[in-house]
Amino acid sequence: MSNYHIKHLEEYYQVYRKSVREPENFWGEVAEEHFLWRKKWDKVLSWNFKTPEIKWFEGAQLNITENCIDRHLLNRGDKTAILFEPNNPDEEAEHITYKQLHSRVCKMANVLKDQGIKKGDRVCIYLPMIPELSIALLACARIGAIHSVVFAGFSATALSSRINDSDCKLVITSDGSYRGTKSIDLKGIVDEGLKDCPGVKSVLLVKRTHAEINFHEGRDQWLQPLMDKADSNCAPEIMDAEDPLFILYTSGSTGNPKGMVHTTGGYMVYTAYTFKNVFQYTENDVFWCTADIGWITGHSYIVYGPLANGATSLMFEGVPNYPDYSRFWQIVEKHKVNQFYTAPTAIRALAKQNISFTEKHDLTSLKVLGSVGEPINEEAWHWYNDVIGKKKSPIVDTWWQTETGGIMITPIPFVTPTKPTFATLPFIGIQPAIMDANGQEVTGNQVDGRLCIKFPWPGMARTIWRNHQRYKETYFSTYPEYYFTGDGAFRDEVGYYRITGRVDDVIIVSGHNLGTAPIEDSINEHPAVSESAVVGVPHDIKGSALYGFVTLKETGESRIHDNLRKEINQMITEHIGPIAKLDKIQFTNGLPKTRSGKIMRRILRKIACRDMENLGDTSTLLNPEVVDDIKKNVL
Ligand code: 6R9
């Protein structure tokens, strides 16, 4: 029996038990059966959560691109590997077969070599969602260079600090990018950023928008002419399983972004195995993950996981509301998408629109719907389930992190019965633990606390780039011998997990632990409310009091605001109890968000506490302009 593709709940429990009792045998078998190794490992796993040091498949040798491309050439050479849907629906979609992908990756790999890039060098990739982005990741992996993708929505400052942190020698970017009706001057941002990056010797440019750019002689080169001349074969660099594959930055609750380092063998095994099972991908399905490759979700579930399975992975350049709010559903119909993976923030935005946007498209190809990035609230879950999935396509609410490399807690579709707002069961091989306030693991069900993982899994990040001490302090020091996720979780009577949000967002009011997510959910149910964020402020008697920032669908006069404040507190009282009532409610024009759509509660908390001087760098926010307005109107 192959344990690669789980088919029913009993099998899940059976495979899960094996994965936990004999992790080395289990992962050894998965790795042996489904991948191409140049040399097998000497040892499946060695680990120590104190130092911390984790090694998977030590001694093994491989190249991940042989697994993602070369080995499919015989049977899937003419199958579409990457299906590119451009921003503009009138521009033709591009089908890149595995054969074509092989040739383009090899050519780009040869171009990088000609630029002097060698195994272990860092290459920064700052590109929009166009095929060259996926090809660039794979070209780096082909020659053993470590890629560091920076989301092409980040500012020049954010870009240069990431380039310098990992000493990137070369940057791959484009003249510009399209986002709906706008085109963005990416090259201008790169020029600005590179003023502070003396280590960058060359910039390779993809032509996308044909916008005029400043050409920096001696540093900049157009990529295409170099590709045209390059050889379409490039022998893969043979890598050790624990050689770094990439660095990806993620923001911490304090300080500079952390360059999470993922290595080759374990990451490949974990992303491929989770992809196959969590999306129940079968040959000829079309898989679409709407994330940007600038985030871990795109790395793992647009590029590496799907391609390691020989899948067809759709890549979309545009935005959900261009030319109008039916764009996602139009793409699903056009390409007969079978698995669709998106974020709650997109689901909420789409659910607000007129029903005609979804109704005019045929969504019957959909088999599995995925959610990732933040807790999905009940209302959004039901809309996704009923309107998009027609109650037939299970929702996989997948909890995981940049640090975990792949999906950690999730239903397996058609196997695990779903439950709104619950990520349900640990994935195969994952051993979650819930910790109480005294730092002890709590056993049994119907418990909540902080979410840790107590045993290594192949996809975990091994360190923070050149800052192992910070890796240790952030993830392995709060609870010795456990990996601490920074999230809170509740385990229900059958052992299902519900992620309750970052624990830095938990507020203790009069000795009661309150998660911000359920309070915000109740506020958001008020018909006048568009969005909200709740933070804690110090309070003499209660310890902490709750301060709410609320964005309304339409702004009103102050008399209406007073009534609204009462009604909002009434809703909270009804949903949670009077203990969760807000002491202060400030109406705002918008909430500060990260580029991936997460509300920056840290900034709001400081404003609410009138700690205006220490807001940190707000320039990388999606909407830095709202911050001043919120500061001005603080209560
Ligand atoms: C993959 C990704 C990680 C944080 C994580 C948690 C939140 C992600 C979630 C979820 C509830 C889910 N998160 N998925 N919370 N339910 N299904 O998003 O990585 O950008 O590093 O964010 O996102 O708080 O700790 P990353």
Side-chain angles (χ1 to χ4, degrees):
M1 180 198 69
S2 165
N3 51 19
Y4 200 57
H5 210 150
I6 313 285
K7 291 272 185 278
H8 47 84
L9 197 57
E10 252 164 75
E11 190 187 354
Y12 160 81
Y13 280 115
Q14 197 187 331
V15 177
Y16 182 78
R17 275 194 296 270
K18 169 162 181 175
S19 74
V20 167
R21 284 185 196 146
E22 311 163 37
E24 295 199 41
N25 287 340
F26 174 78
W27 288 111
E29 278 168 29
V30 171
E32 177 113 33
E33 267 183 60
H34 304 284
F35 301 90
L36 191 68
W37 303 88
R38 288 294 187 109
K39 175 179 172 284
K40 291 279 160 64
W41 45 91
D42 305 316
K43 192 165 172 21
V44 173
L45 168 68
S46 53
W47 68 293
N48 175 345
F49 272 2
K50 275 198 204 99
T51 36
E53 193 177 10
I54 300 106
K55 285 187 180 148
W56 282 92
F57 310 114
E58 206 178 344
Q61 292 187 325
L62 74 154
N63 184 289
I64 195 169
T65 69
E66 277 197 304
N67 283 273
C68 288
I69 309 172
D70 304 51
R71 66 171 167 146
H72 305 309
L73 293 178
L74 191 61
N75 298 322
R76 299 187 180 108
D78 295 316
K79 177 177 174 175
T80 303
I82 295 175
L83 203 181
F84 173 62
E85 174 66 28
N87 174 63
N88 181 347
D90 298 331
E91 193 183 321
E92 230 170 276
E94 191 183 347
H95 291 254
I96 302 170
T97 65
Y98 273 94
K99 267 189 206 147
Q100 292 164 334
L101 183 64
H102 179 264
S103 149
R104 288 171 73 171
V105 167
C106 285
K107 277 171 173 278
M108 204 191 284
N110 283 323
V111 170
L112 291 173
K113 272 190 180 170
D114 286 344
Q115 298 299 311
I117 300 298
K118 301 179 304 295
K119 176 177 177 179
D121 287 344
R122 274 79 59 205
V123 170
C124 173
I125 303 172
Y126 187 72
L127 279 172
M129 283 285 286
I130 54 178
E132 284 79 1
L133 173 52
S134 299
I135 293 167
L137 268 68
L138 295 162
C140 288
R142 188 76 174 179
I143 62 170
I146 302 170
H147 58 74
S148 168
V149 181
V150 177
F151 171 58
F154 272 130
S155 66
T157 324
L159 174 65
S160 64
S161 67
R162 285 162 174 77
I163 288 175
N164 288 334
D165 183 75
S166 47
D167 299 318
C168 295
K169 273 191 173 169
L170 181 145
V171 177
I172 308 176
T173 187
S174 65
D175 48 1
S177 68
Y178 293 123
R179 264 186 87 75
T181 54
K182 287 188 273 188
S183 52
I184 293 150
D185 175 20
L186 280 196
K187 177 60 167 49
I189 299 171
V190 171
D191 287 341
E192 184 62 32
L194 289 190
K195 285 181 188 160
D196 301 324
C197 303
V200 174
K201 301 294 177 227
S202 41
V203 174
L204 297 176
L205 285 168
V206 178
K207 201 166 253 175
R208 176 58 183 146
T209 58
H210 297 263
E212 241 180 73
I213 55 145
N214 276 325
F215 198 86
H216 200 300
E217 287 298 339
R219 187 195 71 185
D220 299 352
Q221 291 174 86
W222 290 107
L223 180 64
Q224 195 56 51
L226 302 177
M227 293 272 284
D228 292 342
K229 278 186 279 182
D231 191 337
S232 60
N233 276 301
C234 174
E237 184 77 34
I238 304 308
M239 307 294 285
D240 287 341
E242 282 298 337
D243 278 338
L245 174 64
F246 66 86
I247 301 170
L248 185 61
Y249 288 86
T250 184
S251 39
S253 34
T254 53
N256 298 328
K258 300 168 283 191
M260 304 311 306
V261 177
H262 283 282
T263 58
T264 309
Y267 177 82
M268 171 182 79
V269 168
Y270 197 68
T271 53
Y273 186 63
T274 48
F275 173 78
K276 177 98 175 174
N277 283 290
V278 175
F279 300 104
Q280 293 283 310
Y281 184 86
T282 54
E283 195 71 46
N284 302 324
D285 282 348
V286 174
F287 175 81
W288 181 18
C289 166
T290 71
D292 192 289
I293 292 174
W295 311 120
I296 190 69
T297 306
H299 279 62
S300 301
Y301 300 110
I302 297 179
V303 184
Y304 291 111
L307 298 181
N309 280 281
T312 297
S313 180
L314 194 151
M315 225 181 133
F316 175 45
E317 183 184 26
V319 292
N321 60 350
Y322 172 76
D324 64 39
Y325 274 104
S326 67
R327 185 66 165 127
F328 273 10
W329 318 125
Q330 182 248 326
I331 295 173
V332 168
E333 176 173 352
K334 177 175 172 190
H335 296 298
K336 302 202 169 41
V337 171
N338 302 109
Q339 291 90 4
F340 176 73
Y341 191 28
T342 198
T345 178
I347 298 168
R348 285 195 296 267
L350 294 166
K352 270 207 190 119
Q353 312 307 318
N354 194 296
I355 190 80
S356 66
F357 286 125
T358 51
E359 276 176 345
K360 69 177 178 205
H361 292 291
D362 178 7
L363 305 180
T364 51
S365 59
L366 290 173
K367 295 194 281 195
V368 176
L369 301 175
S371 173
V372 60
E374 53 176 316
I376 178 164
N377 51 304
E378 190 125 14
E379 215 181 328
W381 195 96
H382 284 293
W383 182 84
Y384 202 26
N385 191 58
D386 300 356
V387 177
I388 302 306
K390 320 279 185 235
K391 300 189 179 167
K392 281 198 277 245
S393 306
I395 295 179
V396 289
D397 177 0
T398 64
W399 172 84
W400 58 295
Q401 311 175 294
T402 304
E403 295 85 338
T404 69
I407 294 166
M408 300 287 282
I409 302 183
T410 179
I412 292 177
F414 309 105
V415 170
T416 319
T418 59
K419 177 172 175 181
T421 78
F422 280 76
T424 75
L425 296 172
F427 188 72
I428 310 299
I430 302 306
Q431 304 188 36
I434 290 186
M435 316 302 284
D436 68 16
N438 303 319
Q440 298 304 309
E441 181 176 346
V442 285
T443 51
N445 287 341
Q446 294 272 33
V447 291
D448 62 9
R450 294 180 170 207
L451 182 63
C452 286
I453 312 288
K454 57 182 169 188
F455 195 84
W457 62 101
M460 69 191 297
R462 305 292 195 261
T463 189
I464 291 174
W465 182 255
R466 291 200 177 140
N467 200 345
H468 197 67
Q469 186 57 26
R470 187 172 179 200
Y471 176 72
K472 179 177 174 172
E473 278 162 18
T474 312
Y475 304 107
F476 296 92
S477 300
T478 317
Y479 305 102
E481 308 280 320
Y482 290 80
Y483 165 82
F484 175 44
T485 67
D487 281 312
F490 165 68
R491 188 162 56 213
D492 79 357
E493 64 287 353
V494 297
Y496 274 15
Y497 288 84
R498 178 187 191 174
I499 310 302
T500 49
R502 302 291 306 184
V503 286
D504 22 25
D505 297 332
V506 165
I507 306 165
I508 304 180
V509 180
S510 304
H512 293 82
N513 275 22
L514 298 172
T516 50
I519 305 177
E520 290 162 8
D521 277 354
S522 10
I523 303 173
N524 297 352
E525 286 201 13
H526 192 291
V529 171
S530 152
E531 260 189 323
S532 62
V534 171
V535 299
V537 290
H539 186 279
D540 283 353
I541 297 163
K542 306 186 210 175
S544 290
L546 300 173
Y547 189 117
F549 295 89
V550 175
T551 309
L552 298 175
K553 287 179 182 153
E554 284 163 41
T555 46
E557 348 141 13
S558 48
R559 184 178 50 82
I560 302 181
H561 281 171
D562 281 343
N563 283 338
L564 272 177
R565 288 193 173 92
K566 280 195 200 118
E567 287 168 20
I568 286 171
N569 269 330
Q570 191 52 39
M571 305 221 45
I572 296 175
T573 307
E574 273 168 31
H575 283 92
I576 301 162
I579 183 69
K581 278 206 304 200
L582 306 180
D583 272 28
K584 287 183 177 162
I585 300 178
Q586 177 180 347
F587 294 104
T588 60
N589 292 326
L591 300 171
K593 287 192 184 160
T594 64
R595 297 272 174 177
S596 58
K598 294 189 175 102
I599 298 173
M600 285 294 278
R601 289 189 181 69
R602 182 173 56 80
I603 293 176
L604 293 171
R605 193 176 307 119
K606 292 209 164 135
I607 297 178
C609 297
R610 295 178 171 269
D611 184 9
M612 310 290 185
E613 271 69 59
N614 295 309
L615 297 186
D617 181 13
T618 56
S619 68
T620 61
L621 291 176
L622 185 69
N623 50 353
E625 72 283 354
V626 302
V627 175
D628 277 342
D629 190 55
I630 296 174
K631 272 159 73 177
K632 238 189 327 200
N633 296 311
V634 68
L635 299 174

